[in-house]
Amino acid sequence: MAIWDPQHETIDRERLGELQLARLRETLARVYDRVPFYRENLAAAGFTPGDLSSLDDLARLPFTEKGDFRDHYPYGLFAVPLEEVVEIHSSSGTTGKAVVGGYTNADLETWTELVCRLAVAAGAHRGDVAQIAFGYGMFTGGFGLHYGLQRAGVAVVPISAGNTARQIKVMQDFGTTILIATPSYALYMGEVIQKREVDLASLRLRLGMFGAETCTEEMRAQVEARLPIVATDNYGLTELAGPGVAGECECRAGMHISEDHFIAECLDPDSGDRVPDGEIGELVVTALTRECSPVLRYRTRDLTTLTREPCACGRTTARMGKVVGRTDDMFIISGVNVFPSHVERVLCQIEGVEPFYQIVLDRAPSGLDTFEVHVEVTDTLFDGWMDDLRAFERRVTEELRSSLLVRPKVKLVEPGSLERSEGKARRVIDHRPV
Ligand code: DLL
């Protein structure tokens, strides 16, 4: 198993701590001098850069939240003048102002290296042809993977997202070996490939580098059942440069965090206390090497676990588990907390259910919230007897109820009728008044 940067990816953990501390010191001085928002926040927390004596002091630093990016839209958190900025990305978000991140030349170099590490860790190498079906544009996925894969010596096909028929033709004609997409788009491509009866032997695909949205192990199995690939997961966010924060190696036992560039903490989202390794908490990340958009203790809202156990691949970096949900995508029905990923896990295990679903939330006139799950079923089931469908609906309801501990209203829908995703899937439609 190849390692792109053994010096940093297999670093001794004590030495890593020293490196992180030195870089944190530089970052603190930098944001204190250059970004009024951080200076004021640090002052309010009674902390000056000189107070940092060990990594334990991190817990004394103030958090940064998504709202802070929005409040300082577009350039208010930049730590360099625009003259030094060479690229700008943003994530649209569904509400409010976009989150904006800038890159200096040095930031682009770092980003390229970090994504390259993940590409090599996933098994990419010279001779591969990578079809990048992430959107190019303001979204960080397209360009981030583009730079990193090129650095790894891979031939990049910058097809961008959408036009699925063309994606498949290019896959065949160009001999694509690596597919880069959101898992939900990869699933859709797999569905189209099956429907069109594309001969899998005409494809050279072997690896999927996915990411940008939650994908349960059960959904990964569904994608792998439709495409001749091994699928790996990659994590990142615009606030921290985009992809390149963490990704799976060939062992697929958690996503390696590039800890020489990011300090990851896993905290109880309510108390802010650190949770022990292996327990679910909110991922909070400090970026240590970003020139333009440094960020202190960013509350990602992503819920996951951390482990610092060594990995069989030889890397010594901490790994994060699959993101089980976001603190803001959990909903509460009859007092029970529900994550969309939990619904997905249950549905993907029921034979007869297609891996396409949507959760619809609404409020009844009585004031109670309603919870519907729309689920596609296989053609054969849908074309069968009404009585069979009703019985199946009851079964799906019961499986969900017994696992979620709350009863949804399940609506079986025709195969192919739910919206397909070419980017991040919209799993929850929330009609509840705010
Ligand atoms: O999604 C960056 C990215 C691009 C990562 C390509 C990986 C591959 P944003 O659009 O800012 O950036 O969205 C960030 O997406 O806070 C998570 O909630 C979610 N997310 C990203 N990667 C994963 C993943 C990019 N592997 C937000 N699993 C994050 C689960 C993910 N959720």
Side-chain angles (χ1 to χ4, degrees):
M1 279 184 260
I3 297 182
W4 177 255
D5 182 352
Q7 191 195 341
H8 294 107
E9 294 179 74
T10 63
I11 189 169
D12 169 76
R13 291 203 62 85
E14 200 173 316
R15 168 80 192 96
L16 173 67
E18 290 161 12
L19 183 62
Q20 287 183 323
L21 183 61
R23 288 182 166 176
L24 182 59
R25 196 163 272 137
E26 282 166 23
T27 301
L28 267 179
R30 181 175 187 82
V31 295
Y32 196 81
D33 287 347
R34 298 176 179 221
V35 189
F37 162 79
Y38 286 114
R39 187 167 44 243
E40 285 157 21
N41 262 10
L42 285 164
F47 200 94
T48 61
D51 295 335
L52 183 76
S53 58
S54 81
L55 284 178
D56 291 337
D57 292 330
L58 191 65
R60 294 171 55 201
L61 302 183
F63 293 120
T64 308
E65 312 252 5
K66 195 182 270 295
D68 298 323
F69 277 83
R70 297 200 164 132
D71 293 346
H72 295 87
Y73 175 88
Y75 300 148
L77 297 183
F78 281 16
V80 296
L82 266 185
E83 288 73 18
E84 291 178 37
V85 179
V86 295
E87 193 162 316
I88 298 170
H89 284 274
S90 88
S91 67
S92 49
T94 41
T95 51
K97 286 179 180 161
V99 164
V100 177
Y103 306 74
T104 63
N105 271 316
D107 289 331
L108 282 189
E109 170 59 25
T110 306
W111 196 22
T112 302
E113 276 291 302
L114 294 187
V115 179
C116 176
R117 283 185 191 177
L118 301 185
V120 171
H125 50 65
R126 257 171 216 289
D128 269 318
V129 177
Q131 184 163 332
I132 302 192
F134 277 142
Y136 277 68
M138 303 293 266
F139 176 52
T140 53
F143 280 96
L145 268 296
H146 187 108
Y147 298 143
L149 283 156
Q150 280 188 333
R151 176 69 51 93
V154 170
V156 161
V157 181
I159 188 165
S160 196
N163 199 341
T164 307
R166 179 155 167 260
Q167 297 274 357
I168 293 164
K169 179 157 173 36
V170 165
M171 226 177 250
Q172 290 175 302
D173 294 352
F174 291 20
T176 301
T177 55
I178 308 179
L179 177 63
I180 313 288
T182 57
S184 56
Y185 190 31
L187 182 75
Y188 176 35
M189 284 188 200
E191 183 191 31
V192 175
I193 283 174
Q194 270 185 341
K195 277 216 176 104
R196 297 184 171 209
E197 294 176 10
V198 173
D199 179 9
L200 289 184
S202 70
L203 300 177
R204 286 182 61 222
L205 272 185
R206 63 175 186 84
L207 175 66
M209 280 184 71
F210 301 143
E213 64 180 2
T214 298
C215 174
T216 58
E217 286 297 349
E218 290 76 9
M219 183 60 87
R220 162 148 62 190
Q222 295 283 346
V223 178
E224 290 183 339
R226 285 165 176 77
L227 290 170
I229 51 160
V230 169
T232 61
D233 196 1
N234 295 278
Y235 173 86
L237 50 162
T238 312
E239 295 86 330
L240 299 168
V245 176
E248 284 179 328
C249 66
E250 290 175 78
C251 303
R252 300 200 296 175
M255 294 183 271
H256 287 276
I257 300 169
S258 276
E259 286 187 283
D260 48 331
H261 294 267
F262 301 102
I263 300 181
E265 302 169 85
C266 197
L267 307 183
D268 179 317
D270 298 322
S271 68
D273 293 340
R274 216 163 265 191
V275 303
D277 281 2
E279 280 183 25
I280 291 179
E282 178 181 354
L283 185 71
V284 172
V285 184
T286 299
L288 295 174
T289 50
R290 300 194 74 202
E291 284 191 343
C292 179
S293 299
V295 55
L296 294 185
R297 301 194 86 202
Y298 185 64
R299 296 197 65 149
T300 64
R301 302 188 188 175
D302 292 318
L303 295 169
T304 186
T305 53
L306 288 181
T307 173
R308 278 160 250 260
E309 294 289 313
C311 179
C313 71
R315 289 176 184 80
T316 51
T317 44
R319 283 165 287 149
M320 58 183 276
K322 283 212 164 277
V323 175
V324 295
R326 291 177 52 82
T327 51
D328 52 5
D329 76 2
M330 185 194 81
F331 53 92
I332 302 177
I333 295 289
S334 310
V336 177
N337 298 352
V338 181
F339 284 106
S341 63
H342 194 164
V343 174
E344 176 174 303
R345 282 208 316 273
V346 176
L347 291 177
C348 284
Q349 290 180 78
I350 305 174
E351 204 171 324
V353 162
E354 292 285 349
F356 300 97
Y357 67 95
Q358 208 154 49
I359 295 164
V360 182
L361 304 175
D362 209 341
R363 189 153 297 156
S366 64
L368 286 180
D369 287 350
T370 58
F371 168 30
E372 283 188 14
V373 181
H374 298 186
V375 185
E376 284 187 17
V377 292
T378 52
D379 279 317
T380 34
L381 200 75
F382 202 80
D383 294 341
W385 296 100
M386 197 43 121
D387 282 352
D388 291 345
L389 266 184
R390 292 230 170 82
F392 189 69
E393 196 169 85
R394 281 196 295 276
R395 203 190 122 208
V396 176
T397 307
E398 190 43 36
E399 299 260 358
L400 284 168
R401 191 208 58 78
S402 69
S403 187
L404 303 173
L405 305 178
V406 57
R407 181 186 298 277
K409 181 167 170 30
V410 170
K411 218 163 144 185
L412 301 182
V413 300
E414 205 172 331
S417 62
L418 293 177
E419 182 191 6
R420 296 297 189 256
S421 151
E422 293 174 348
K424 299 188 190 225
R426 201 154 68 104
R427 303 291 188 200
V428 181
I429 312 282
D430 195 344
H431 295 305
R432 294 174 298 179
V434 273

